[in-house]
Amino acid sequence: MVLTPKFSAHFYFQVMKDNGFPIPDDEIMLYGEFPQGFLWSTATAAYQIEGGWRADGKGLSIWDKFAHTPLKVFEDDNGDIACDSYNKIDEDVAVLKQLRVNHYRFSISWTRVLPDGTTNYINEAGFSYYDRLVNALLAENIQPHITLYHWDLPQALQNVGGWENETTVERFKDYADLVFSRLGDRVKLWITINEPYNVAMVGHGYGVAAPGISFRPGTLPYIVGHNLIKAHAEAWHLYNDKYRAKQNGMVSITINSDWSEPRNPYKQEDIDAARRVIQFYIGWFAHPIFNGDYSETMKTIIRERSLAAGLSKSRLPEFTPEEIKRIKGTYDYFGFNHYTTVLAYPLNYGNLQHYDGDRGAGTVVDRTWLDSGSGWLKVTPFGLRRILNFIKKEYGNPTIIITENGVSERGPIDLKDYHRSYFYEKYINQVLKAHLLDNVDVRGYTAWSLMDNLEWATGFAERFGLFYVNRSDPNVPRVAKESVSLYSTIINCNGFPDPASGPHDCLKPGPEGNQRCSDSSSGGKNKPDTMIN
Ligand code: BGC
């Protein structure tokens, strides 16, 4: 008779081997610095913060429509006023200064500059807002990092099919052309599309984000994803051919993904399921752009499941050989958003023609992982280092800029957001490990978010901000949470100085702490777990 050890047997063996519960290597704090010129940033998106939904000729976007449809957004919240950033350039720049970031990532509302989505009519008043914002940032030595598309498609384009319609690729290219031509003299960092996975799956598969479509989940997300990839590639080529020589900036796409571990690391089918989760998440978009074409995993599984269901071809559209070539390599860095980790196991959905069935995996979380204000977000710092290493290995060691990472809370307002300081310290320390110990070429880190804002379909209830926004005060003031001091200290020290080689001026709060930490002798030593201040 063959006895197969259960997971508990492995666990008990480990306890005996360790003679207790030592701090896992993963969680031990590493002291050291990030490379010179590291990009420190924080992010927002137009619909989540701007308000001014009808101001000065702005057109309507799919998010204006979605949020004004009853029951789509929690408490029927909407972005009509949001954080009123459209009227608060000075206030926003002031809090960025307080954070000491050297970059600020924000997005442009397509319909603020092109009300019907096309270049037939350019709304100069809308452009003036971004012009003034860019100038105000540069005056404070904060570099703008602009996202062209953070989910707010012009409703006029949705009316003719939106991202399902290939002509949207052309419209996006025209829009990108206009924005590069107007702001590219001063803006050197660009993101074409934020999180194509969410646009495709959440907006067109699960239907819980605009445009809220869920009735062809087996095909529509793949068609939308296909056009998003083409739109990105066209915008990149346009910049490359027309603007790069003069403007000398960097253009990429921001891809999001959870990290995925096998539920039982000793079971091959769980290991395979975890790999599928990753290939269907980050790989869906990264593979065509960084390696060329969809991954074999996606192509094979979707084709076989489509044919088995009696369809004449795969539900995943095919790129022509010319398209594969045109898309491959359309990046100047890897823009990456990351929040959490899941545990995967195989799950057979039978004949269900849906992304979930194609992926063939279920996911759970470890109940010991800390919670956040968002059901989907568990605090799992180790996953960030692992997925950074995955990107390095899988996509040819690209330069990576982390374009979002952060944590939420819900419930009563509490400016003592100890959980956020903990989150940032632990996750950023994992980025440092990826840089110093694993040689991952990571050049920047962006905290999501500068301030509490409209968290899409969950409204204002989930708050990701470093700053609290008091929306019941007519001045909509921004108020620092305690994590502002933690994050600005990490920025000021460009990492985590070793207390043993201190005292470090960079750790002092306020103007005294203006001197950056440059004690390189502290680089790379492991020490027990601490908060840095
Ligand atoms: C998005 C942000 C969002 C954040 C937290 C990302 O998916 O880009 O707009 O607020 O995650 O959910």
Side-chain angles (χ1 to χ4, degrees):
M1 185 169 60
V2 181
L3 294 179
T4 311
K6 296 185 186 171
F7 186 69
S8 53
H10 293 286
F11 182 78
Y12 186 46
F13 173 75
Q14 196 61 40
V15 174
M16 291 189 289
K17 201 168 142 220
D18 294 338
N19 199 24
F21 300 90
I23 297 177
D25 276 0
D26 259 359
E27 288 171 30
I28 294 178
M29 183 89 177
L30 177 74
Y31 295 114
E33 279 184 48
F34 286 93
Q36 283 277 316
F38 195 73
L39 176 160
W40 289 106
S41 187
T42 184
T44 59
Y47 189 68
Q48 294 179 279
I49 65 159
E50 284 180 2
W53 75 299
R54 309 231 70 168
D56 305 328
K58 177 184 165 294
L60 297 183
S61 78
I62 55 173
W63 266 96
D64 290 311
K65 172 148 185 217
F66 189 77
H68 284 111
T69 310
L71 303 179
K72 292 290 186 196
V73 175
F74 183 66
E75 307 273 28
D76 283 339
D77 284 342
N78 59 54
D80 294 3
I81 300 172
C83 309
D84 198 24
S85 284
Y86 185 63
N87 297 302
K88 298 221 165 325
I89 290 181
D90 293 348
E91 289 84 342
D92 287 354
V93 174
V95 289
L96 289 162
K97 250 179 90 178
Q98 191 180 337
L99 259 185
R100 307 188 205 233
V101 287
N102 49 39
H103 284 69
Y104 174 44
R105 177 183 170 214
F106 60 94
S107 82
I108 293 195
S109 153
W110 188 337
T111 56
R112 201 177 285 295
V113 297
L114 297 176
D116 73 357
T118 74
T119 44
N120 290 343
Y121 173 70
I122 299 172
N123 186 31
E124 294 300 338
F127 250 117
S128 141
Y129 168 65
Y130 299 110
D131 220 44
R132 286 179 287 124
L133 176 58
V134 164
N135 291 343
L137 290 169
L138 293 175
E140 295 297 344
N141 236 329
I142 300 169
Q143 302 304 313
H145 188 177
I146 292 188
T147 314
L148 292 173
Y149 185 70
H150 203 123
W151 307 355
D152 44 357
L153 191 78
Q155 183 59 42
L157 298 186
Q158 188 62 45
N159 294 343
V160 292
W163 286 113
E164 184 178 3
N165 184 339
E166 213 182 320
T167 61
T168 301
V169 173
E170 272 306 299
R171 300 291 82 77
F172 180 71
K173 190 175 154 196
D174 296 343
Y175 161 57
D177 196 353
L178 178 72
V179 179
F180 292 149
S181 77
R182 294 293 185 91
L183 301 176
D185 55 334
R186 287 153 289 157
V187 177
K188 302 300 162 197
L189 264 182
W190 299 95
I191 294 166
T192 54
I193 289 164
N194 177 69
E195 300 192 350
Y197 169 88
N198 281 41
V199 178
M201 233 15 251
V202 187
H204 299 81
Y206 303 121
V208 292
I213 303 171
S214 57
F215 53 87
R216 280 174 292 145
T219 48
L220 186 57
Y222 294 132
I223 297 169
V224 165
H226 207 67
N227 286 333
L228 290 168
I229 293 168
K230 287 186 184 175
H232 155 75
E234 287 314 311
W236 185 92
H237 277 292
L238 171 85
Y239 189 86
N240 202 42
D241 299 344
K242 189 165 166 190
Y243 295 101
R244 187 185 297 285
K246 251 220 315 294
Q247 297 185 352
N248 209 13
M250 302 213 293
V251 181
S252 202
I253 185 169
T254 273
I255 298 174
N256 62 311
S257 187
D258 295 346
W259 177 237
S260 163
E261 287 284 335
R263 182 174 63 176
N264 180 342
Y266 303 97
K267 261 188 167 174
Q268 189 57 44
E269 56 265 48
D270 287 10
I271 296 171
D272 295 342
R275 287 197 186 125
R276 282 199 303 281
V277 167
I278 289 286
Q279 281 305 342
F280 272 79
Y281 205 152
I282 192 170
W284 182 356
F285 300 95
H287 206 281
I289 294 167
F290 290 81
N291 296 351
D293 204 1
Y294 295 117
S295 66
E296 284 308 319
T297 308
M298 279 191 79
K299 286 195 296 189
T300 312
I301 294 178
I302 302 170
R303 188 189 316 110
E304 283 175 2
R305 294 187 81 253
S306 305
L307 300 183
L311 302 175
S312 59
K313 61 179 190 352
S314 177
R315 284 174 284 108
L316 181 68
E318 268 180 37
F319 291 118
T320 65
E322 295 72 43
E323 285 170 344
I324 292 173
K325 259 181 52 202
R326 187 157 174 84
I327 291 161
K328 184 177 171 185
T330 54
Y331 64 90
D332 300 325
Y333 61 93
F334 194 118
F336 181 54
N337 288 358
H338 176 76
Y339 290 88
T340 200
T341 292
V342 294
L343 303 175
Y345 60 96
L347 189 56
N348 189 337
Y349 286 79
N351 197 16
L352 183 73
Q353 299 296 294
H354 187 288
Y355 170 91
D356 290 344
D358 297 336
R359 190 180 75 159
T363 62
V364 287
V365 296
D366 183 323
R367 276 187 286 169
T368 66
W369 293 344
L370 293 176
D371 277 329
S372 71
S374 312
W376 53 271
L377 201 177
K378 306 294 170 193
V379 181
T380 50
F382 61 89
L384 179 50
R385 179 176 174 193
R386 292 186 199 175
I387 197 162
L388 288 172
N389 273 283
F390 174 85
I391 293 172
K392 175 184 175 192
K393 218 169 110 216
E394 179 88 359
Y395 303 117
N397 195 16
T399 292
I400 302 170
I401 298 176
I402 297 168
T403 42
E404 273 182 40
N405 176 235
V407 71
S408 60
E409 69 257 348
R410 52 164 69 228
I413 306 299
D414 183 0
L415 299 178
K416 292 193 175 63
D417 58 340
Y418 184 82
H419 71 106
R420 180 166 289 103
S421 299
Y422 178 87
F423 180 99
Y424 280 130
E425 183 179 73
K426 300 301 174 205
Y427 274 73
I428 297 172
N429 201 249
Q430 295 288 343
V431 181
L432 184 69
K433 289 178 182 172
H435 161 60
L436 284 178
L437 307 181
D438 312 332
N439 282 317
V440 174
D441 185 13
V442 52
R443 305 268 181 97
Y445 178 89
T446 309
W448 182 273
S449 174
L450 173 60
M451 56 192 147
D452 292 342
N453 57 48
L454 183 98
E455 178 53 18
W456 307 109
T458 45
F460 294 100
E462 286 176 22
R463 305 186 302 272
F464 278 83
L466 286 151
F467 287 81
Y468 158 62
V469 177
N470 184 353
R471 300 181 57 258
S472 39
D473 180 324
N475 291 323
V476 207
R478 288 86 168 104
V479 186
K481 300 182 192 174
E482 281 197 354
S483 55
V484 166
S485 134
L486 180 281
Y487 187 44
S488 64
T489 303
I490 294 177
I491 295 175
N492 201 40
C493 294
N494 201 31
F496 301 85
D498 187 346
S501 63
H504 301 279
D505 280 350
C506 68
L507 290 170
K508 291 186 193 150
E512 268 186 89
N514 268 340
Q515 199 182 325
R516 280 189 177 273
C517 177
S518 57
D519 179 4
S520 51
S521 65
S522 62
K525 274 190 275 158
N526 278 324
K527 283 285 158 61
D529 208 34
T530 57
M531 295 284 287
I532 72 163
N533 57 357

